[in-house]
Amino acid sequence: MRTILVLVSVLALTAPVMAALTPAVPAASTTPAPAVNPFSTKWNTPFGLPPFEEIKTEHFIPAFEELMRWHNEEIAAIVKKEEAPTFDNTIAALDDSGEALVRVTNVFGLLAGAETSEEVQAIEAKVEPMLAGHADDIYLDAALFARVKAVYESRAKLQLDPEQATLLEKTMRRFVRGGANLAQAQKERFRAINAELSSLIVRFGNNLLKETNAFKLVVDARTDLVGLPDDQVAAAAEAATKAGLAGKWVFTLKAPSIWPFLQSSANRDLRKKILAAYSSRCDSGGETDNKLVFAKLAALRVEKAQLLGYPTWGHFVLAENMAKTPDGAYALLEQLWKPSLARARREATELQAMIDAEKGGFALEPADWRTYSEKVKKATYELDEESIKPYFALDNVLSGAFTLAGKLYGITFTELTVVPRYNPEVKAFEVKEKDGRHLGVLYLDFHPRPGKRGGAWCSNLRDQWIRGGRFVTPVVYNVFNFSRPAGDAPALLTPDEAETLFHEFGHALHSLFSSCRFRGSGAIAQDFVELPSQIMENWVFEPELLKLYARHSKSGEVIPEALVTKIRKAGTFNQGFAKTEVLAASFLDMDWHTLTTTQLQDTTAFEKASMAKWGLISEILPRYRTTYFAHAADEYSAGYYSYTWSEVLDSDAFQAFKEKGDIFDPATAAAFRQLLAKGGSEDPALLYRRFRGRDPKVDALLDKRGLR
Ligand SMILES: [Zn+2]
């Protein structure tokens, strides 16, 4: 899972950020808990971090209500200004407004994703439509829009710098896309659509969490554990004990449980059982079924897009992205689809040959792919994941990410032990420049919990911007779902998990390096935002970096050359499968979001037809099916192609280091940091060209994936 799930509300897309009343220097954290709502006070905590221990669920609704009122007053003050509209008194003033509301939105967004409960979900169901309505109140305010429009129309005379010009352009577009130009009757319908969309998104996510948590594969007999490595067996035994089933073994649909199980279990029936449960989530009828929820989302999006003059939701979303149109996205996906599928077919033949050599007597199915690709890998490269994992203890991989950031950018990470945190197992780090200057705070949350959604993501508790001439430093968090250590053993990561850690860490660096004047500059095109994250994955298995972090968890021995060579040689192994499942999901997402009809679709039939049209082979499932495709359901809708789009950029950008013959080349790193520092304050294509000296080429990606 290499996802950044942006769990922020409609409002955060409006004013994509938040800054707390932060002291530049950490203050003592000994203030007694105030009786008042923590969201209406200044936070006297180190670095102005949210006082998590004082924040109770009952604080949220009153805080949202009160802070929406505050925000409305700020907006009213802008509208009432007697002076003619200017960039400062209208566009910058809007950017400044709503700070306190974004503060509560960000804290709530964090908890709704990583520390949810039935109480939090009930608040979410109430608050999301409220926030959607609040955003509508702003964008559909005719007097406010008149001021924005007046500034926009005079832009040629304003002599704005690039960041101001971008903010003005984005603000104008946000109003138009927020319905400002609609006739009164359309505005009513527009509001109703937004309210319903926000409720459906919440419902989709909560259904998915419920069904993911509900399933347990309970194994009674040790003979059914054949093939599984010891740490997986130990983790399953621990999970069973926790579930009141001591003496048995429990496997779940969470990433650290299901994927290793599918990779190693020799019991085909159980493999099929757990994959069937995973791939039929929210697809079996009943209260938590997502088929109709998704169909309604898709239909309402068509209606919303068409109200705004776009033929489809995809056209509406992609107008803000580098791809510009669904055709642009499809063109790239199709370019990669044929070679990926051809490669996947060859891989399937190899796996079938292995099954036949074992006299398995069955045809390859999705539940067999991971098991047999692991066997083929062992046979071909004498490489198995179990021999790699001891070198990828979580602490070592994390130190690898920190080391890389240090080598590229000179920054340091110091663990903070006495700061507020939302769960005791969450870690916090102060990030500093080479000269010791404070850059920001990074929270890291590693393991699954029942209240945590699946996948991995990065978001901000406080964005960087410059408020009243003062530089506000960012507070960023990464959430993961890595294997929990069993007993006293260290948590060992799979190669995929190591890449995920570097990926989310890359998003965090993007936020930490931001050096923008406006909060609105933090909104970044979806298909550009995966460049800073995915580029980091390129370093994970580079021998020069491996030597610095991949040490054996028991002996402390540095990973042997021979093993590094094997890992490098196996680098393009199984890439047909990996790319095919991602591309299939990207097509599915884009097919849903290029519907032109508002008629409710039969979700099952639609998905079947989409996959048949592209010719997905039956041995591979799309990375996500519709009923559990959280990206397609939420704010990432029509955006799953972004991972592939950004992969062109990240492969090409990493190539710039390779061309210098030094993967830590300081000049290239400095140029890349320039790109990161700009956030969304300039056109991404321009930022990229400035870094690379030319437009991106697809060649590096094709080579990396072994697709030509
Ligand atoms: Zn990402």
Side-chain angles (χ1 to χ4, degrees):
M1 314 277 128
R2 313 159 162 186
T3 58
I4 173 181
L5 270 184
V6 188
L7 286 160
V8 286
S9 71
V10 181
L11 179 95
L13 296 174
T14 321
V17 222
M18 176 48 191
L21 308 163
T22 171
V25 179
S29 64
T30 49
T31 329
V36 293
N37 193 314
F39 290 108
S40 54
T41 62
K42 182 177 167 176
W43 292 344
N44 288 315
T45 50
F47 308 106
L49 297 171
F52 288 112
E53 287 86 352
E54 292 167 21
I55 296 171
K56 306 284 175 254
T57 42
E58 60 266 28
H59 290 138
F60 284 109
I61 296 274
F64 275 115
E65 285 171 344
E66 176 67 12
L67 297 174
M68 279 184 214
R69 267 197 300 276
W70 279 21
H71 193 203
N72 285 338
E73 282 172 27
E74 289 176 284
I75 303 273
I78 297 172
V79 174
K80 274 190 219 134
K81 278 195 178 115
E82 282 176 15
E83 309 94 76
T86 64
F87 179 86
D88 284 339
N89 76 17
T90 301
I91 307 300
L94 257 176
D95 186 69
D96 280 346
S97 72
E99 186 177 356
L101 177 56
V102 181
R103 186 164 71 155
V104 60
T105 306
N106 285 355
V107 171
F108 187 73
L110 164 67
L111 299 183
E115 196 68 29
T116 190
S117 61
E118 283 192 5
E119 257 179 304
V120 169
Q121 289 180 25
I123 297 171
E124 205 183 357
K126 186 168 174 195
V127 157
E128 287 299 331
M130 273 163 66
L131 285 168
H134 181 69
D136 286 339
D137 288 343
I138 296 170
Y139 294 133
L140 301 177
D141 180 331
L144 180 62
F145 180 53
R147 289 187 71 94
V148 170
K149 203 172 168 185
V151 181
Y152 183 74
E153 281 169 354
S154 65
R155 65 194 180 284
K157 294 176 285 184
L158 297 178
Q159 294 181 316
L160 302 175
D161 67 31
E163 186 175 357
Q164 289 173 319
T166 304
L167 183 69
L168 174 56
E169 178 76 33
K170 277 187 179 172
T171 306
M172 181 65 185
R173 291 178 71 84
R174 278 208 298 266
F175 272 83
V176 173
R177 293 165 62 81
N181 278 329
L182 296 177
Q184 198 49 45
Q186 290 176 316
K187 282 182 178 175
E188 293 308 312
R189 179 62 195 145
F190 193 77
R191 274 177 187 277
I193 293 173
N194 284 340
E196 203 176 341
L197 282 173
S198 69
S199 295
L200 288 167
I201 291 170
V202 171
R203 228 170 98 195
F204 186 97
N206 291 343
N207 286 346
L208 177 54
L209 183 66
K210 214 172 205 171
E211 290 213 7
T212 305
N213 282 338
F215 178 84
K216 282 185 184 64
L217 176 70
V218 182
V219 174
D220 300 310
R222 193 171 270 281
T223 47
D224 285 330
L225 300 170
V226 173
L228 296 172
D230 294 344
D231 61 334
Q232 290 303 322
V233 173
E238 230 176 84
T241 306
K242 267 191 199 154
L245 296 163
K248 300 186 179 188
W249 296 269
V250 163
F251 298 89
T252 71
L253 302 183
K254 306 256 167 112
S257 189
I258 180 175
W259 304 124
F261 186 88
L262 287 174
Q263 191 167 302
S264 311
S265 171
N267 188 323
R268 187 164 192 248
D269 290 339
L270 292 183
R271 288 202 309 266
K272 284 168 91 160
K273 194 172 168 188
I274 197 167
L275 186 62
Y278 178 87
S279 61
S280 63
R281 282 176 299 164
C282 304
D283 188 18
S284 311
E287 292 245 305
T288 47
D289 192 292
N290 271 338
K291 286 194 288 289
L292 185 60
V293 177
F294 195 94
K296 282 184 182 168
L297 277 168
L300 285 166
R301 284 175 172 150
V302 175
E303 191 184 350
K304 177 171 172 174
Q306 292 181 350
L307 270 175
L308 294 169
Y310 295 90
T312 73
W313 180 254
H315 286 85
F316 170 71
V317 171
L318 271 66
E320 299 301 286
N321 289 357
M322 291 181 84
K324 298 295 173 216
T325 62
D327 282 351
Y330 274 125
L332 174 67
L333 298 175
E334 286 184 59
Q335 189 184 349
L336 297 169
W337 178 242
K338 264 195 188 153
S340 301
L341 197 60
R343 204 186 150 106
R345 283 206 175 93
R346 288 200 300 277
E347 291 168 3
T349 310
E350 282 173 34
L351 304 191
Q352 188 64 54
M354 176 65 94
I355 292 170
D356 297 345
E358 285 187 355
K359 305 217 181 316
F362 58 86
L364 178 74
E365 285 181 28
D368 308 313
W369 194 292
R370 288 174 175 80
T371 333
Y372 282 86
S373 72
E374 188 61 15
K375 287 184 184 193
V376 170
K377 187 157 96 183
K378 261 185 213 169
T380 315
Y381 301 97
E382 294 172 5
L383 183 68
D384 69 291
E385 216 165 275
E386 289 311 304
S387 64
I388 306 176
K389 275 172 72 179
Y391 296 96
F392 291 87
L394 171 57
D395 286 348
N396 289 348
V397 176
L398 180 61
S399 101
F402 287 173
T403 301
L404 174 59
K407 294 206 70 106
L408 294 175
Y409 308 115
I411 58 174
T412 62
F413 297 80
T414 314
E415 186 160 5
L416 299 166
T417 48
V418 287
V419 293
R421 57 198 79 213
Y422 57 94
N423 184 292
E425 68 178 11
V426 172
K427 288 181 186 293
F429 293 85
E430 183 185 4
V431 190
K432 286 186 277 199
E433 293 281 14
K434 202 188 221 159
D435 62 9
R437 200 158 45 84
H438 176 79
L439 252 182
V441 172
L442 172 62
Y443 282 104
L444 299 171
D445 179 357
F446 293 116
H447 305 296
R449 292 186 295 272
K452 194 190 273 191
R453 292 170 201 274
W457 63 95
C458 173
S459 194
N460 292 359
L461 278 164
R462 185 171 75 213
D463 277 332
Q464 180 279 324
W465 63 305
I466 295 173
R467 178 176 15 86
R470 248 175 83 182
F471 196 96
V472 177
T473 56
V475 176
V476 190
Y477 62 90
N478 281 174
V479 181
F480 304 97
N481 276 286
F482 293 149
S483 326
R484 203 172 262 292
D488 296 332
L492 300 179
L493 302 192
T494 64
D496 276 357
E497 288 177 326
E499 285 186 348
T500 300
L501 188 148
F502 274 63
H503 176 111
E504 301 304 337
F505 180 66
H507 282 305
L509 290 181
H510 198 188
S511 294
L512 288 162
F513 287 153
S514 171
S515 187
C516 297
R517 155 72 185 88
F518 301 111
R519 286 192 297 162
S521 297
I524 296 160
Q526 214 166 42
D527 52 9
F528 186 63
V529 84
E530 300 299 336
L531 160 64
S533 51
Q534 288 181 175
I535 191 172
M536 300 297 283
E537 297 174 26
N538 289 279
W539 273 279
V540 178
F541 296 106
E542 282 293 326
E544 291 105 296
L545 185 65
L546 280 172
K547 278 177 204 144
L548 301 178
Y549 80 89
R551 292 176 173 276
H552 197 280
S553 66
K554 286 200 183 114
S555 68
E557 168 216 15
V558 173
I559 190 165
E561 282 295 332
L563 190 51
V564 175
T565 309
K566 284 182 192 173
I567 294 174
R568 302 287 297 170
K569 275 195 182 154
T572 59
F573 178 77
N574 207 36
Q575 289 302 304
F577 170 84
K579 204 62 222 167
T580 296
E581 60 162 9
V582 166
L583 290 171
S586 308
F587 281 134
L588 181 58
D589 171 42
M590 201 54 82
D591 287 353
W592 270 113
H593 293 118
T594 43
L595 272 173
T596 51
T597 170
T598 55
Q599 216 164 15
L600 280 182
Q601 301 296 305
D602 174 334
T603 301
T604 310
F606 184 90
E607 178 178 307
K608 217 172 155 191
S610 162
M611 293 298 93
K613 180 178 78 182
W614 296 108
L616 177 64
I617 55 176
S618 63
E619 296 89 341
I620 298 179
L621 293 172
R623 178 72 168 251
Y624 301 99
R625 293 195 50 239
T626 306
T627 53
Y628 53 90
F629 201 165
H631 293 79
D634 68 22
E635 286 89 351
Y636 233 87
S637 57
Y640 199 67
Y641 80 95
S642 298
Y643 293 98
T644 300
W645 188 275
S646 288
E647 203 181 350
V648 174
L649 303 175
D650 84 66
S651 310
D652 186 62
F654 185 66
Q655 197 62 27
F657 287 90
K658 287 278 188 180
E659 285 164 10
K660 291 284 172 62
D662 177 4
I663 58 163
F664 307 120
D665 180 57
T668 310
F672 195 68
R673 185 169 169 172
Q674 288 288 317
L675 172 151
L676 297 177
K678 291 282 181 188
S681 65
E682 287 186 58
D683 175 16
L686 189 72
L687 293 179
Y688 191 84
R689 220 170 288 140
R690 206 179 285 152
F691 161 69
R692 196 67 166 103
R694 58 164 174 74
D695 286 329
K697 292 184 193 165
V698 74
D699 309 43
L701 165 59
L702 295 174
D703 289 340
K704 184 167 84 180
R705 294 278 190 173
L707 294 178
R708 63 172 187 176

